[in-house]
Amino acid sequence: MIKKMHSPSFQKHAISPLRRLRSYLELSIKYIAITFLVSGLFQNSFALDAESEQLEIKLKAAYLYNFLRFVEWPENTKLTSDICVYGIQENYKSAFNSMAALSKKSRKLNIKLLNVNDKLNNLNSCQIIFITAKADHKSKYILDYLKDKNSLTIGESPRFIQRGGMINFIRVSDKVKFEINDDAAKAVDLKIPSKVLRIAERLVSLKNE
């Protein structure tokens, strides 16, 4: 079952939370913008053209950083790598290497870049696992391996959500947006705040499928 987020209802019922979210994000994104040249995350999606592939990658990297800040993990979680990218591509390396200079709780982020043939046990320590389109052919296998782990799984490929992923980047009118399967996150005790759920392009539930 897919729930689409409609603008009128969104604006009517969520103005105050969105303003608070925007104020908070503006503080964190000022620093991100120096490295990634992006601003207004979660409020304004970048219009993309044929020459903006690298900007799109940097935007996705910045989204991952903010998911890391907002999603809540169980208190007893013992994961040491903040973000792991599985299926790293050459044009992704610059964005994620730059991202490693950012901080989480007064320390630098721990970013792990993995090739598409690296062993899956390299993912055991990861809070966020971003499975790139290059590794799409292995995504079902990877998600099955991670199904009992407290890792937030994020993809950028068709049917990623249907295979058991939690968040998936999608294109909507040449803009980068995302869909969420909150049921998959809840199944491993991850809490995606309502203010993030509200601004997803759509919420997908597979319970009735």
Side-chain angles (χ1 to χ4, degrees), residues 18-95:
L18 282 176
R19 283 178 178 169
R20 289 195 296 271
L21 176 59
R22 182 172 187 173
S23 297
Y24 181 85
L25 281 170
E26 283 174 350
L27 294 176
S28 65
I29 291 166
K30 281 179 181 178
Y31 182 56
I32 297 174
I34 295 174
T35 304
F36 293 150
L37 302 177
V38 297
S39 62
L41 290 181
F42 291 134
Q43 288 295 308
N44 300 298
S45 299
F46 264 91
L48 301 173
D49 56 37
E51 298 179 353
S52 60
E53 180 183 8
Q54 194 61 29
L55 180 58
E56 177 180 355
I57 293 167
K58 291 177 180 180
L59 179 58
K60 288 178 180 179
Y63 267 121
L64 295 181
Y65 175 74
N66 279 286
F67 289 138
L68 184 66
R69 294 173 68 91
F70 283 102
V71 173
E72 298 177 22
W73 277 259
E75 291 184 4
N76 61 348
T77 299
K78 296 180 180 179
L79 301 175
T80 56
S81 297
D82 297 305
I83 296 174
C84 297
V85 182
Y86 192 88
I88 190 66
Q89 303 176 62
E90 193 62 33
N91 57 350
Y92 277 57
K93 288 183 179 179
S94 175

Side-chain angles (χ1 to χ4, degrees):
M1 177 176 66
I2 297 177
K3 301 178 181 179
K4 291 189 176 181
M5 312 306 290
H6 298 291
S7 297
S9 176
F10 178 86
Q11 294 175 350
K12 180 178 179 181
H13 298 291
I15 291 177
S16 294
L18 282 176
R19 283 178 178 169
R20 289 195 296 271
L21 176 59
R22 182 172 187 173
S23 297
Y24 181 85
L25 281 170
E26 283 174 350
L27 294 176
S28 65
I29 291 166
K30 281 179 181 178
Y31 182 56
I32 297 174
I34 295 174
T35 304
F36 293 150
L37 302 177
V38 297
S39 62
L41 290 181
F42 291 134
Q43 288 295 308
N44 300 298
S45 299
F46 264 91
L48 301 173
D49 56 37
E51 298 179 353
S52 60
E53 180 183 8
Q54 194 61 29
L55 180 58
E56 177 180 355
I57 293 167
K58 291 177 180 180
L59 179 58
K60 288 178 180 179
Y63 267 121
L64 295 181
Y65 175 74
N66 279 286
F67 289 138
L68 184 66
R69 294 173 68 91
F70 283 102
V71 173
E72 298 177 22
W73 277 259
E75 291 184 4
N76 61 348
T77 299
K78 296 180 180 179
L79 301 175
T80 56
S81 297
D82 297 305
I83 296 174
C84 297
V85 182
Y86 192 88
I88 190 66
Q89 303 176 62
E90 193 62 33
N91 57 350
Y92 277 57
K93 288 183 179 179
S94 175
F96 285 99
N97 284 333
S98 298
M99 190 179 182
L102 301 177
S103 63
K104 179 193 177 189
K105 296 183 179 178
S106 301
R107 64 170 176 79
K108 287 186 177 180
L109 293 182
N110 186 351
I111 309 290
K112 186 186 293 187
L113 305 181
L114 300 167
N115 293 313
V116 72
N117 293 319
D118 284 345
K119 293 182 179 179
L120 296 190
N121 59 13
N122 286 299
L123 300 174
N124 290 347
S125 64
C126 306
Q127 278 189 269
I128 286 181
I129 298 171
F130 178 41
I131 303 171
T132 72
K134 185 177 181 178
D136 179 53
H137 64 288
K138 295 182 67 174
S139 62
K140 181 65 168 65
Y141 175 58
I142 297 168
L143 291 169
D144 285 345
Y145 176 81
L146 297 169
K147 64 182 179 180
D148 296 322
K149 303 185 185 302
N150 300 119
S151 298
L152 184 72
T153 54
I154 301 176
E156 56 176 359
S157 304
R159 298 195 59 78
F160 182 79
I161 291 287
Q162 286 72 17
R163 292 168 181 161
M166 300 172 191
I167 298 177
N168 188 45
F169 290 118
I170 57 176
R171 285 283 197 96
V172 178
S173 300
D174 290 328
K175 296 178 182 178
V176 175
K177 298 193 177 184
F178 57 91
E179 56 187 357
I180 297 177
N181 180 357
D182 192 35
D183 295 330
K186 288 178 179 177
V188 292
D189 299 322
L190 299 184
K191 182 179 179 181
I192 301 176
S194 59
K195 54 192 174 185
V196 174
L197 295 175
R198 286 193 192 103
I199 54 179
E201 174 66 14
R202 55 178 172 257
L203 304 181
V204 182
S205 176
L206 305 180
K207 286 184 175 180
N208 299 322
E209 292 190 5

